[in-house]
Coordinates of all heavy atoms in Angstrom, one line a residue:
M684 N 9.0 -11.9 15.1 CA 7.6 -12.2 15.3 C 7.1 -13.3 14.3 O 7.4 -13.2 13.1 CB 6.8 -10.9 15.1 CG 6.5 -10.2 16.4 SD 5.7 -11.1 17.7 CE 6.5 -10.3 19.1
P685 N 6.4 -14.2 14.8 CA 5.9 -15.3 13.9 C 4.8 -14.7 12.9 O 4.2 -13.7 13.2 CB 5.2 -16.3 14.8 CG 4.9 -15.5 16.1 CD 6.0 -14.4 16.2
S686 N 4.8 -15.3 11.7 CA 3.9 -14.8 10.7 C 2.4 -14.9 11.0 O 1.6 -14.3 10.4 CB 4.2 -15.5 9.4 OG 4.0 -16.9 9.5
D687 N 2.1 -15.8 12.0 CA 0.7 -16.0 12.3 C 0.1 -14.7 13.0 O -1.1 -14.5 13.1 CB 0.4 -17.2 13.2 CG 1.3 -17.3 14.4 OD1 2.4 -16.9 14.4 OD2 0.7 -17.6 15.5
V688 N 1.0 -13.9 13.6 CA 0.6 -12.6 14.2 C 0.0 -11.7 13.1 O -1.0 -11.1 13.2 CB 1.7 -11.9 14.9 CG1 1.2 -10.5 15.4 CG2 2.1 -12.7 16.1
D689 N 0.8 -11.7 11.9 CA 0.3 -10.9 10.8 C -1.0 -11.4 10.2 O -1.9 -10.7 9.9 CB 1.4 -10.9 9.7 CG 1.1 -9.8 8.7 OD1 0.6 -8.7 9.0 OD2 1.2 -10.1 7.5
A690 N -1.1 -12.8 10.2 CA -2.3 -13.4 9.7 C -3.5 -13.1 10.6 O -4.6 -12.8 10.1 CB -2.1 -14.9 9.6
H691 N -3.2 -13.1 11.9 CA -4.3 -12.7 12.9 C -4.7 -11.3 12.7 O -5.9 -11.0 12.7 CB -3.7 -13.0 14.3 CG -4.7 -12.7 15.4 ND1 -5.9 -13.2 15.4 CD2 -4.6 -11.9 16.5 CE1 -6.6 -12.8 16.5 NE2 -5.7 -12.0 17.2
L692 N -3.7 -10.4 12.6 CA -4.0 -9.0 12.4 C -4.7 -8.7 11.1 O -5.6 -7.9 11.0 CB -2.7 -8.1 12.4 CG -2.1 -7.9 13.8 CD1 -0.7 -7.4 13.7 CD2 -3.0 -7.0 14.7
A693 N -4.4 -9.5 10.1 CA -5.0 -9.4 8.7 C -6.5 -9.8 8.9 O -7.4 -9.1 8.3 CB -4.3 -10.3 7.7
R694 N -6.8 -10.8 9.7 CA -8.1 -11.3 9.9 C -8.9 -10.2 10.6 O -10.1 -9.9 10.3 CB -8.2 -12.6 10.7 CG -8.0 -13.8 9.8 CD -8.4 -15.1 10.5 NE -7.6 -15.3 11.7 CZ -6.4 -15.9 11.7 NH1 -5.9 -16.4 10.6 NH2 -5.8 -16.1 12.8
L695 N -8.3 -9.6 11.7 CA -8.9 -8.5 12.4 C -9.3 -7.3 11.5 O -10.3 -6.8 11.6 CB -8.0 -8.1 13.6 CG -7.9 -8.9 14.8 CD1 -6.8 -8.4 15.8 CD2 -9.2 -9.0 15.5
E696 N -8.3 -7.0 10.7 CA -8.5 -5.9 9.8 C -9.7 -6.1 8.9 O -10.5 -5.3 8.7 CB -7.2 -5.6 9.0 CG -7.3 -4.4 8.1 CD -6.1 -4.1 7.3 OE1 -5.0 -4.6 7.6 OE2 -6.1 -3.2 6.4
A697 N -9.7 -7.3 8.3 CA -10.8 -7.7 7.4 C -12.1 -7.7 8.1 O -13.1 -7.2 7.5 CB -10.5 -9.0 6.8
A698 N -12.2 -8.2 9.3 CA -13.4 -8.2 10.1 C -13.9 -6.9 10.4 O -15.1 -6.6 10.3 CB -13.2 -9.0 11.4
R699 N -13.0 -6.0 10.8 CA -13.4 -4.6 11.2 C -13.9 -3.9 9.9 O -14.8 -3.1 9.9 CB -12.3 -3.8 11.8 CG -11.8 -4.4 13.1 CD -12.9 -4.2 14.2 NE -12.5 -4.9 15.4 CZ -13.2 -4.8 16.6 NH1 -14.4 -4.2 16.6 NH2 -12.8 -5.5 17.6
Q700 N -13.2 -4.1 8.8 CA -13.5 -3.5 7.5 C -14.9 -3.9 7.1 O -15.7 -3.1 6.7 CB -12.5 -4.0 6.5 CG -12.6 -3.2 5.2 CD -12.0 -1.8 5.3 OE1 -10.9 -1.6 5.5 NE2 -12.9 -0.8 5.1
A701 N -15.2 -5.2 7.3 CA -16.5 -5.8 6.9 C -17.6 -5.2 7.8 O -18.7 -4.8 7.4 CB -16.5 -7.3 7.0
Q702 N -17.3 -5.0 9.1 CA -18.2 -4.5 10.1 C -18.5 -3.0 9.7 O -19.7 -2.6 9.8 CB -17.6 -4.6 11.5 CG -18.5 -4.2 12.6 CD -17.8 -4.2 14.0 OE1 -16.6 -4.4 14.1 NE2 -18.6 -3.9 15.0
L703 N -17.5 -2.3 9.3 CA -17.7 -0.9 9.0 C -18.6 -0.7 7.8 O -19.4 0.2 7.8 CB -16.3 -0.3 8.6 CG -16.1 1.2 8.8 CD1 -16.4 1.6 10.2 CD2 -14.7 1.6 8.4
A704 N -18.5 -1.7 6.9 CA -19.4 -1.6 5.7 C -20.9 -1.8 6.0 O -21.7 -1.3 5.3 CB -18.9 -2.7 4.7
T705 N -21.1 -2.5 7.2 CA -22.5 -2.7 7.5 C -23.1 -1.6 8.4 O -24.3 -1.5 8.6 CB -22.7 -4.0 8.3 OG1 -22.0 -3.9 9.6 CG2 -22.1 -5.2 7.5
L706 N -22.2 -0.7 8.9 CA -22.7 0.3 9.8 C -23.3 1.5 9.1 O -22.7 1.9 8.1 CB -21.5 0.8 10.7 CG -21.0 -0.2 11.8 CD1 -19.8 0.4 12.5 CD2 -22.1 -0.6 12.7
P707 N -24.4 2.0 9.6 CA -25.0 3.2 8.9 C -24.2 4.4 9.0 O -23.4 4.6 10.0 CB -26.3 3.3 9.7 CG -26.1 2.7 11.0 CD -25.1 1.6 10.8
Q708 N -24.2 5.3 8.0 CA -23.5 6.5 8.1 C -24.4 7.7 8.2 O -24.5 8.6 7.4 CB -22.7 6.7 6.8 CG -21.5 5.7 6.7 CD -20.5 6.2 5.7 OE1 -19.9 7.3 5.8 NE2 -20.3 5.5 4.6
S709 N -25.1 7.7 9.3 CA -26.1 8.8 9.6 C -25.4 9.9 10.3 O -24.8 9.7 11.4 CB -27.3 8.3 10.4 OG -28.0 9.4 10.9
P710 N -25.5 11.2 9.8 CA -24.9 12.3 10.5 C -25.7 12.7 11.7 O -25.2 13.5 12.6 CB -24.9 13.4 9.4 CG -25.9 13.0 8.5 CD -26.1 11.5 8.5
V711 N -26.9 12.3 11.9 CA -27.7 12.7 13.0 C -27.8 11.7 14.1 O -28.1 12.0 15.3 CB -29.2 13.0 12.6 CG1 -29.2 14.3 11.8 CG2 -29.8 11.9 11.8
D712 N -27.5 10.4 13.8 CA -27.5 9.4 14.8 C -26.2 9.3 15.6 O -25.2 8.8 15.1 CB -27.8 8.0 14.2 CG -28.1 6.9 15.2 OD1 -27.7 7.1 16.4 OD2 -28.7 5.9 14.8
V713 N -26.2 10.0 16.8 CA -24.9 10.1 17.5 C -24.4 8.7 18.0 O -23.2 8.5 18.1 CB -25.0 11.1 18.7 CG1 -25.0 12.5 18.2 CG2 -26.2 10.8 19.6
V714 N -25.3 7.8 18.3 CA -24.9 6.5 18.8 C -24.2 5.7 17.7 O -23.2 5.1 17.9 CB -26.1 5.7 19.4 CG1 -25.7 4.3 19.8 CG2 -26.7 6.5 20.6
A715 N -24.8 5.8 16.5 CA -24.3 5.1 15.4 C -22.9 5.7 15.0 O -22.0 5.0 14.7 CB -25.2 5.2 14.2
A716 N -22.8 7.0 15.1 CA -21.6 7.7 14.8 C -20.5 7.3 15.7 O -19.3 7.1 15.3 CB -21.8 9.2 14.8
A717 N -20.8 7.2 17.0 CA -19.8 6.8 18.0 C -19.4 5.4 17.8 O -18.2 5.1 17.9 CB -20.5 7.0 19.4
H718 N -20.3 4.5 17.5 CA -20.0 3.1 17.3 C -19.0 3.1 16.0 O -18.0 2.4 16.1 CB -21.3 2.4 17.0 CG -21.0 0.9 16.9 ND1 -22.0 0.0 16.4 CD2 -20.0 0.1 17.2 CE1 -21.5 -1.2 16.4 NE2 -20.3 -1.2 16.8
R719 N -19.4 3.8 15.0 CA -18.6 3.8 13.8 C -17.2 4.3 14.1 O -16.2 3.8 13.6 CB -19.3 4.7 12.8 CG -18.9 4.5 11.4 CD -19.6 5.3 10.4 NE -18.8 5.3 9.1 CZ -19.0 4.3 8.3 NH1 -19.8 3.3 8.5 NH2 -18.2 4.2 7.2
G720 N -17.1 5.4 14.9 CA -15.8 6.0 15.3 C -15.0 5.0 16.0 O -13.8 4.9 15.8
A721 N -15.6 4.2 16.9 CA -14.8 3.2 17.6 C -14.2 2.1 16.7 O -13.1 1.7 16.9 CB -15.7 2.6 18.7
V722 N -15.0 1.7 15.8 CA -14.6 0.7 14.8 C -13.4 1.2 13.9 O -12.4 0.6 13.7 CB -15.7 0.2 13.9 CG1 -15.2 -0.8 12.9 CG2 -16.8 -0.5 14.8
V723 N -13.6 2.5 13.5 CA -12.6 3.1 12.7 C -11.3 3.2 13.4 O -10.2 3.0 12.9 CB -13.0 4.5 12.2 CG1 -11.9 5.3 11.6 CG2 -14.1 4.4 11.2
R724 N -11.3 3.6 14.7 CA -10.1 3.7 15.6 C -9.4 2.4 15.7 O -8.2 2.3 15.5 CB -10.5 4.2 16.9 CG -10.3 5.7 17.1 CD -10.2 6.2 18.5 NE -11.3 5.7 19.3 CZ -12.6 6.2 19.3 NH1 -12.9 7.2 18.6 NH2 -13.5 5.6 20.1
I725 N -10.1 1.3 15.9 CA -9.5 0.0 16.1 C -8.9 -0.4 14.7 O -7.8 -0.9 14.7 CB -10.5 -1.0 16.6 CG1 -10.8 -0.7 18.1 CG2 -9.9 -2.5 16.5 CD1 -11.8 -1.6 18.7
L726 N -9.6 -0.2 13.7 CA -9.1 -0.5 12.3 C -7.8 0.2 12.1 O -6.8 -0.4 11.6 CB -10.2 -0.1 11.3 CG -9.9 -0.5 9.8 CD1 -9.8 -2.0 9.7 CD2 -11.1 -0.1 8.9
E727 N -7.7 1.5 12.4 CA -6.5 2.2 12.2 C -5.4 1.7 13.1 O -4.2 1.6 12.7 CB -6.7 3.7 12.6 CG -7.4 4.5 11.5 CD -7.9 5.8 12.0 OE1 -7.8 6.2 13.2 OE2 -8.4 6.6 11.2
Q728 N -5.7 1.2 14.3 CA -4.7 0.7 15.2 C -4.2 -0.7 14.7 O -3.0 -1.0 14.9 CB -5.3 0.6 16.6 CG -5.4 1.9 17.3 CD -6.2 1.9 18.6 OE1 -7.0 1.0 18.8 NE2 -5.9 2.7 19.5
V729 N -5.1 -1.5 14.2 CA -4.7 -2.8 13.6 C -3.8 -2.5 12.4 O -2.8 -3.2 12.3 CB -6.0 -3.6 13.2 CG1 -5.6 -4.8 12.4 CG2 -6.8 -4.0 14.4
R730 N -4.1 -1.6 11.6 CA -3.2 -1.3 10.4 C -1.9 -0.8 10.9 O -0.9 -1.2 10.3 CB -3.9 -0.2 9.5 CG -5.0 -0.8 8.7 CD -5.7 0.2 7.9 NE -6.8 -0.4 7.1 CZ -7.8 0.2 6.6 NH1 -8.0 1.5 6.9 NH2 -8.7 -0.4 5.9
A731 N -1.9 0.0 11.9 CA -0.6 0.5 12.4 C 0.2 -0.6 13.0 O 1.5 -0.7 12.9 CB -0.8 1.6 13.5
A732 N -0.4 -1.6 13.7 CA 0.2 -2.7 14.2 C 0.9 -3.6 13.1 O 2.0 -4.1 13.3 CB -0.7 -3.6 15.0
R733 N 0.2 -3.7 12.0 CA 0.8 -4.4 10.9 C 2.0 -3.7 10.3 O 2.9 -4.4 9.9 CB -0.3 -4.7 9.8 CG -1.4 -5.5 10.3 CD -2.4 -5.9 9.2 NE -1.7 -6.9 8.3 CZ -2.2 -7.2 7.1 NH1 -3.3 -6.7 6.6 NH2 -1.6 -8.1 6.4
Q734 N 2.0 -2.4 10.3 CA 3.1 -1.6 9.9 C 4.3 -1.9 10.8 O 5.4 -2.0 10.4 CB 2.8 -0.2 9.8 CG 2.1 0.2 8.4 CD 1.5 1.6 8.4 OE1 1.8 2.4 9.3 NE2 0.7 1.9 7.4
R735 N 4.0 -1.9 12.1 CA 5.1 -2.1 13.1 C 5.7 -3.5 12.9 O 6.8 -3.7 13.1 CB 4.6 -1.9 14.5 CG 4.3 -0.5 14.9 CD 4.1 -0.3 16.4 NE 3.1 -1.1 17.0 CZ 1.8 -0.8 17.0 NH1 1.4 0.3 16.4 NH2 0.9 -1.6 17.5
L736 N 4.8 -4.4 12.6 CA 5.2 -5.8 12.4 C 6.2 -5.9 11.2 O 7.2 -6.5 11.3 CB 4.0 -6.7 12.1 CG 4.1 -8.2 12.3 CD1 4.4 -8.5 13.7 CD2 2.8 -8.8 11.9
R737 N 5.9 -5.1 10.2 CA 6.8 -5.1 9.0 C 8.1 -4.4 9.3 O 9.1 -4.7 8.8 CB 6.1 -4.4 7.8 CG 5.1 -5.4 7.1 CD 4.7 -4.8 5.8 NE 3.7 -3.7 6.0 CZ 2.4 -3.9 6.1 NH1 1.9 -5.1 6.1 NH2 1.6 -2.9 6.3
A738 N 8.0 -3.4 10.2 CA 9.2 -2.6 10.5 C 10.0 -3.3 11.6 O 11.1 -2.9 11.9 CB 8.7 -1.2 11.1
G739 N 9.5 -4.3 12.2 CA 10.2 -5.1 13.2 C 10.1 -4.5 14.6 O 10.9 -4.9 15.5
T740 N 9.2 -3.6 14.8 CA 9.1 -3.0 16.1 C 7.8 -3.5 16.8 O 7.5 -2.9 17.9 CB 9.0 -1.4 16.0 OG1 7.9 -1.0 15.2 CG2 10.3 -0.9 15.5
Y741 N 7.1 -4.4 16.2 CA 5.9 -4.9 16.9 C 6.1 -5.6 18.2 O 7.1 -6.3 18.3 CB 5.2 -5.9 15.9 CG 3.9 -6.4 16.5 CD1 2.7 -5.7 16.5 CD2 3.9 -7.7 17.1 CE1 1.6 -6.2 17.0 CE2 2.7 -8.2 17.7 CZ 1.6 -7.4 17.6 OH 0.4 -7.9 18.2
G742 N 5.3 -5.2 19.2 CA 5.4 -5.8 20.5 C 6.3 -5.0 21.5 O 6.3 -5.3 22.7
E743 N 6.9 -3.9 20.9 CA 7.7 -3.1 21.8 C 6.8 -1.9 22.3 O 6.1 -1.3 21.6 CB 8.8 -2.4 20.9 CG 10.2 -2.7 21.4 CD 11.2 -2.1 20.5 OE1 11.2 -0.8 20.3 OE2 11.9 -2.8 19.8
C744 N 7.0 -1.7 23.6 CA 6.2 -0.6 24.2 C 6.7 0.7 23.7 O 7.9 1.0 23.6 CB 6.3 -0.6 25.8 SG 5.5 0.8 26.5
A745 N 5.7 1.6 23.2 CA 6.0 2.8 22.6 C 6.6 3.8 23.6 O 7.2 4.8 23.2 CB 4.8 3.4 21.9
K746 N 6.3 3.6 24.9 CA 6.7 4.6 25.9 C 8.1 4.2 26.5 O 9.0 5.0 26.6 CB 5.7 4.7 27.0 CG 4.5 5.6 26.5 CD 3.6 5.9 27.8 CE 2.4 6.8 27.4 NZ 1.5 6.9 28.5
C747 N 8.2 2.9 27.0 CA 9.4 2.5 27.7 C 10.3 1.6 27.0 O 11.4 1.4 27.4 CB 9.0 2.0 29.1 SG 8.2 0.3 29.0
G748 N 9.8 1.1 25.8 CA 10.7 0.3 25.0 C 10.8 -1.2 25.4 O 11.5 -2.0 24.7
T749 N 10.2 -1.6 26.5 CA 10.2 -3.0 26.9 C 9.2 -3.8 26.1 O 8.4 -3.2 25.4 CB 9.9 -3.2 28.4 OG1 8.6 -2.7 28.6 CG2 10.9 -2.5 29.3
W750 N 9.3 -5.1 26.1 CA 8.3 -5.9 25.4 C 7.0 -5.9 26.1 O 6.9 -6.1 27.3 CB 8.9 -7.3 25.1 CG 10.1 -7.3 24.2 CD1 11.4 -7.4 24.6 CD2 10.1 -7.0 22.8 NE1 12.2 -7.2 23.5 CE2 11.4 -7.0 22.4 CE3 9.1 -6.8 21.9 CZ2 11.8 -6.8 21.1 CZ3 9.4 -6.6 20.5 CH2 10.8 -6.6 20.1
I751 N 6.0 -5.7 25.3 CA 4.6 -5.8 25.9 C 4.3 -7.3 26.2 O 4.7 -8.2 25.5 CB 3.6 -5.3 24.8 CG1 3.9 -3.8 24.5 CG2 2.2 -5.4 25.4 CD1 3.1 -3.3 23.3
E752 N 3.6 -7.5 27.3 CA 3.3 -8.8 27.8 C 2.5 -9.6 26.7 O 1.6 -9.1 26.2 CB 2.5 -8.8 29.1 CG 3.1 -8.1 30.3 CD 3.0 -6.5 30.2 OE1 2.7 -6.0 29.2 OE2 3.3 -5.9 31.3
P753 N 3.0 -10.8 26.4 CA 2.3 -11.6 25.4 C 0.8 -11.8 25.6 O 0.0 -11.8 24.7 CB 3.1 -13.0 25.4 CG 4.4 -12.6 26.0 CD 4.2 -11.5 27.0
A754 N 0.4 -12.0 26.9 CA -1.0 -12.2 27.2 C -1.8 -11.0 26.8 O -2.9 -11.1 26.4 CB -1.2 -12.6 28.7
R755 N -1.2 -9.8 27.0 CA -1.8 -8.6 26.7 C -2.0 -8.4 25.2 O -3.1 -8.0 24.8 CB -0.9 -7.4 27.3 CG -1.4 -6.0 27.1 CD -0.6 -5.1 27.9 NE -0.8 -3.7 27.5 CZ -1.8 -3.0 27.9 NH1 -2.7 -3.5 28.8 NH2 -1.9 -1.7 27.5
L756 N -1.0 -8.8 24.5 CA -1.0 -8.7 23.0 C -2.0 -9.7 22.4 O -2.6 -9.5 21.4 CB 0.4 -8.9 22.4 CG 1.3 -7.7 22.4 CD1 2.6 -8.0 21.8 CD2 0.6 -6.5 21.7
E757 N -2.1 -10.8 23.1 CA -3.0 -11.9 22.6 C -4.4 -11.4 22.7 O -5.3 -11.6 21.8 CB -2.9 -13.1 23.5 CG -3.1 -14.4 22.7 CD -2.6 -15.6 23.5 OE1 -1.4 -15.6 23.8 OE2 -3.4 -16.5 23.8
L758 N -4.7 -10.6 23.7 CA -6.1 -10.1 24.0 C -6.4 -8.9 23.0 O -7.4 -8.9 22.4 CB -6.2 -9.6 25.4 CG -7.5 -9.7 26.1 CD1 -7.9 -11.2 26.2 CD2 -7.4 -9.1 27.5
R759 N -5.4 -8.0 22.9 CA -5.6 -6.9 22.0 C -4.3 -6.6 21.2 O -3.4 -5.9 21.7 CB -5.9 -5.6 22.8 CG -7.3 -5.7 23.5 CD -7.6 -4.3 24.1 NE -8.8 -4.4 24.9 CZ -8.9 -4.8 26.1 NH1 -7.8 -5.1 26.8 NH2 -10.0 -4.8 26.8
P760 N -4.1 -7.3 20.1 CA -2.8 -7.3 19.4 C -2.4 -6.0 18.8 O -1.3 -5.8 18.3 CB -3.0 -8.3 18.2 CG -4.4 -8.8 18.4 CD -5.1 -8.1 19.4
W761 N -3.3 -5.0 18.9 CA -3.0 -3.7 18.3 C -2.4 -2.7 19.3 O -2.1 -1.5 19.0 CB -4.2 -3.1 17.6 CG -5.4 -3.0 18.6 CD1 -5.6 -2.0 19.5 CD2 -6.5 -3.9 18.7 NE1 -6.8 -2.2 20.2 CE2 -7.3 -3.4 19.8 CE3 -6.8 -5.1 18.1 CZ2 -8.5 -4.1 20.2 CZ3 -8.0 -5.8 18.5 CH2 -8.8 -5.3 19.5
L762 N -2.3 -3.1 20.6 CA -1.9 -2.2 21.6 C -0.4 -1.8 21.5 O 0.4 -2.6 20.9 CB -2.0 -2.9 23.0 CG -3.5 -3.1 23.5 CD1 -3.5 -3.7 24.9 CD2 -4.2 -1.7 23.6
V763 N -0.1 -0.6 21.9 CA 1.3 -0.1 21.7 C 2.1 0.2 23.0 O 3.2 0.5 23.0 CB 1.3 1.3 20.9 CG1 0.8 1.0 19.5 CG2 0.4 2.3 21.6
T764 N 1.4 0.0 24.1 CA 2.1 0.2 25.4 C 1.9 -1.0 26.3 O 1.0 -1.8 26.2 CB 1.5 1.4 26.2 OG1 0.1 1.3 26.3 CG2 1.9 2.7 25.5
C765 N 2.9 -1.2 27.2 CA 2.9 -2.3 28.2 C 1.8 -1.9 29.3 O 1.4 -0.8 29.4 CB 4.2 -2.5 28.8 SG 4.9 -1.2 29.8
T766 N 1.5 -2.9 30.2 CA 0.5 -2.6 31.2 C 0.9 -1.5 32.1 O 0.1 -0.6 32.4 CB 0.4 -3.9 32.1 OG1 0.1 -5.0 31.2 CG2 -0.8 -3.7 33.0
A767 N 2.2 -1.4 32.5 CA 2.7 -0.4 33.4 C 2.5 1.0 32.8 O 2.0 1.9 33.5 CB 4.2 -0.6 33.8
C768 N 2.9 1.2 31.5 CA 2.7 2.5 30.9 C 1.2 2.8 30.7 O 0.9 4.0 30.8 CB 3.5 2.5 29.6 SG 5.3 2.5 29.8
A769 N 0.4 1.8 30.3 CA -1.0 2.1 30.1 C -1.7 2.6 31.4 O -2.6 3.4 31.4 CB -1.7 0.8 29.6
E770 N -1.2 2.0 32.5 CA -1.8 2.4 33.8 C -1.2 3.6 34.4 O -1.8 4.3 35.2 CB -1.7 1.2 34.8 CG -2.7 0.1 34.4 CD -2.5 -1.2 35.2 OE1 -1.6 -1.2 36.0 OE2 -3.3 -2.1 35.0
G771 N 0.1 3.8 34.2 CA 0.8 4.9 34.7 C 0.5 6.2 34.0 O 0.7 7.3 34.3
Ligands
ZN1429 ZN1 5.9 0.6 28.8

């Protein structure tokens, strides 16, 4: 995998991290809590993707083991399954 994927993931991680810092942490505002939860989930997925990149398994479908379509990864580089597995 080219190193620019890691650079791209690093930028995504930094952006989500910065976004998280601006989000309110209100225990009563369910909309804010849901939004925060969504950002946290993507942040975790981006970090996991960077770990897979280091482990050399980045881009491999976690279910069937084939390579995830490049266009799909370009759109959401943190995904772990190919289109077929995601839909099936
Ligand atoms: Zn698959």
Side-chain angles (χ1 to χ4, degrees):
M684 267 304 147
S686 58
D687 56 318
V688 175
D689 190 43
H691 182 50
L692 286 168
R694 277 195 299 275
L695 280 175
E696 184 178 346
R699 297 293 175 177
Q700 191 73 64
Q702 188 184 2
L703 206 57
T705 67
L706 292 176
Q708 289 200 64
S709 165
V711 289
D712 188 341
V713 287
V714 176
H718 186 194
R719 201 179 165 81
V722 174
V723 167
R724 262 198 310 280
I725 290 179
L726 189 57
E727 284 168 354
Q728 287 172 330
V729 169
R730 284 178 179 153
R733 295 189 73 194
Q734 274 168 16
R735 289 197 301 279
L736 200 61
R737 279 190 289 275
T740 57
Y741 179 79
E743 236 177 67
C744 175
K746 281 190 181 174
C747 71
T749 60
W750 293 103
I751 302 169
E752 299 84 346
R755 181 172 165 79
L756 277 181
E757 211 166 301
L758 215 61
R759 294 189 186 84
W761 55 83
L762 291 179
V763 293
T764 53
C765 68
T766 309
C768 288
E770 287 172 355

